Amino acid sequence: MPQTPTLDDIRVDFDAPDNVPKDRIVDLTFAMGSIPNDLVDPYEPCGWLAGPEIPRLLFNPPSRQGLGAISGGQRGNWVVTHYEDINRVYTDNEHFSNKGTAEFQRLIGETFPSIPLAIDPPEHSKYRLFLTQFLGPATITRVMEPTIRAVLDEMIDEIADKGEVDMAWDFARVFPVRIFMGMMGFPKEMFDDFLEWEWNILHSGNLEKMQWALSSVLKFLRSFIAEKEKNPDEFLTSSIVHGKIQGRRFTEDEKIGMVWFLWLGGLDTVAATISQMFRRMALQPELQRQLREHPALINGAVEEFLRTQPILSSARTATKDFEWHGIQVKKGDSFSCLNPAGNFDPARFENPREFDPTRKGNRHFTLVGGVHSCLGGHLARRELRILLEKWFEKIPGEFRVKPGADTSVYPGLLSIRNLPIVWDVQNR
C-alpha cells in the first residue's frame, strides 16, 4: 500500500448486502490496530480517512474486520470515520444499539449480558448510576487516590536508581492492574492468572484458548462472588454482590454481568495507554521537557495522549431501517466507529496531528462517548495524571529508548509488549 493511500488503493470486491454501494467496499485492515508500525505517531496511517473527500460511510468485509468486538457483523460492517458521524453513532440511542458488544462469554454458551456496556437505555442508566457511585471523581479522590500515590511511590522508587525499566512489561502492565485488583478486592496471587486469561481472550485470536480462558475466569469470578456473599468486605465486588437496584437485590446474572465487565475492562486499556505514552515521550523528548518544566500542563497532556492514542474503536448495531448520507441502512447492520480517524478529524481539531497539551475543548473519542462512555474514565485519567506527576518528580533526568530496542507498536489495544527505557541516574 502506498504511504498515502487513496480509496482506490483499498477498494476490494465483495458480495456485499444489497444496500451497500460497490464503491464503498474497502479493506480497512491497516486501520484496525492489528498491523504494527514504527512511526512516532503510530496512528498516522489512518488519519486521512477523516478527510473531507472521504465518503461518510465505508463498508468493511467480514474477513477484514480485524480484532473487533464480538458484536455480530458476519456480513461485514459499516465504518464511520468522521467526528460528527462517530458522535451520532455514540449518542443516537434511537438508531444505534450497544446490545451484544464485547460479549465474549457467548463463545462458551453464557447468556448473561456484560453490564452496563451491553445494556441500552433506559435500562442502562440504573446500572450506570449504581456503579458510578464507586467510580466517580469524588470517590476516587477520597478512596483511591492515596492508594494510587502509594503504589506509584513504591514502583518508581524501586527503579529510580537502576536507570532502566521495561516500561511496558514491568511497569505499565503492572501498575493499573494492582490498582484495579485492590479496588475489586481480588487476591494478589491471581495477578499472573488474570493477565494470562485476559491476553488469551482479547489477543490470542485462537478460539480454543479464548474458550479455556473464559471458562477459567468465569469459574473464578463466580466462586469469588459466592465467597463475598458469605463474607462481605469494603471492596467493589462485595458492594455489587450486596447491592440493590430500585429497591431489590441483584440477580445472579446481574452480579456476574457487572463483575465480569469490570474485570474485562480493568486489565488492559490503561496499560496500553501508558506504554504508548512513554514511547511517544521517549521518541519526542521535547514533550518530556515541556511537562517537566511546566507541570501545570499535565492534565492537558493526558487528554492529548488519550486523543492521539485511541486504542479502541467501538461497535454499534442499527435498531431500525433508516437513510443516512444517502445510504439505506438496514436494521441489524453493524457499525464500527473508527476513533483513530475521528480523533484526528480536521473539521473538529485544529492541527489534529500536533500534540498540544494546551488544546481547548478536547472532546476526543478514546474513552468513547454518549451514555456508554468509559465507566472507568475518571480513574484512568487520575492514574495517568498522578503517574506523570510522580515520574517527573522522582526521575528528573530525560529518559530514552534503550539502544537497539524494538520501538514498533500496534496502534490499538494490542499496543506494546516490551519497551525498555533508560535514563542517567546521576541526574537524580
Side-chain angles (χ1 to χ4, degrees), residues 83 86-87 89-91 98 117 128 310 312-316 337 339 343 363-375 377 381:
Y83 187 97
I86 293 174
N87 189 58
V89 175
Y90 285 154
T91 59
N98 217 36
L117 179 68
R128 177 92 182 196
L312 290 173
S313 291
S314 296
R316 299 289 188 272
C337 296
N339 297 335
N343 277 9
R363 296 184 59 190
H364 53 76
F365 292 125
T366 298
L367 299 176
V368 194
V371 298
H372 290 290
S373 60
C374 179
L375 188 63
R381 286 182 166 99

Side-chain angles (χ1 to χ4, degrees), residues 49-181:
L49 290 168
E53 74 285 358
I54 302 299
R56 301 298 282 262
L57 291 177
L58 300 173
F59 190 85
N60 208 27
S63 61
R64 300 176 173 89
Q65 291 181 91
L67 300 175
I70 303 292
S71 57
Q74 271 68 32
R75 298 180 305 162
N77 65 338
W78 295 106
V79 180
V80 290
T81 60
H82 296 77
Y83 187 97
E84 180 183 2
D85 298 330
I86 293 174
N87 189 58
R88 180 186 178 182
V89 175
Y90 285 154
T91 59
D92 182 355
N93 300 305
E94 180 185 350
H95 290 87
F96 299 97
S97 169
N98 217 36
K99 186 177 181 180
T101 297
E103 293 193 330
F104 296 95
Q105 64 269 31
R106 294 180 183 182
L107 296 176
I108 56 171
E110 296 281 1
T111 58
F112 68 86
S114 296
I115 302 174
L117 179 68
I119 304 293
D120 288 329
E123 289 293 296
H124 170 271
S125 61
K126 63 184 181 182
Y127 298 110
R128 177 92 182 196
L129 185 62
F130 172 81
L131 290 170
T132 297
Q133 66 182 307
F134 306 104
L135 292 164
T139 303
I140 292 170
T141 299
R142 184 182 72 255
V143 178
M144 300 192 65
E145 184 164 324
T147 301
I148 295 171
R149 292 186 177 277
V151 169
L152 283 170
D153 281 337
E154 174 194 331
M155 292 185 67
I156 298 176
D157 286 345
E158 185 178 320
I159 63 173
D161 289 329
K162 296 179 180 178
E164 68 175 288
V165 69
D166 186 334
M167 197 63 200
W169 184 261
D170 293 324
F171 199 102
R173 187 180 67 102
V174 176
F175 158 57
V177 178
R178 284 184 59 178
I179 302 301
F180 168 73
M181 292 182 70

Side-chain angles (χ1 to χ4, degrees), residues 7 13 53 111 143 173 203 242-243 246 380 399:
L7 281 183
D13 291 326
E53 74 285 358
T111 58
V143 178
R173 187 180 67 102
H203 304 308
H242 296 278
Q246 298 178 338
F399 61 89

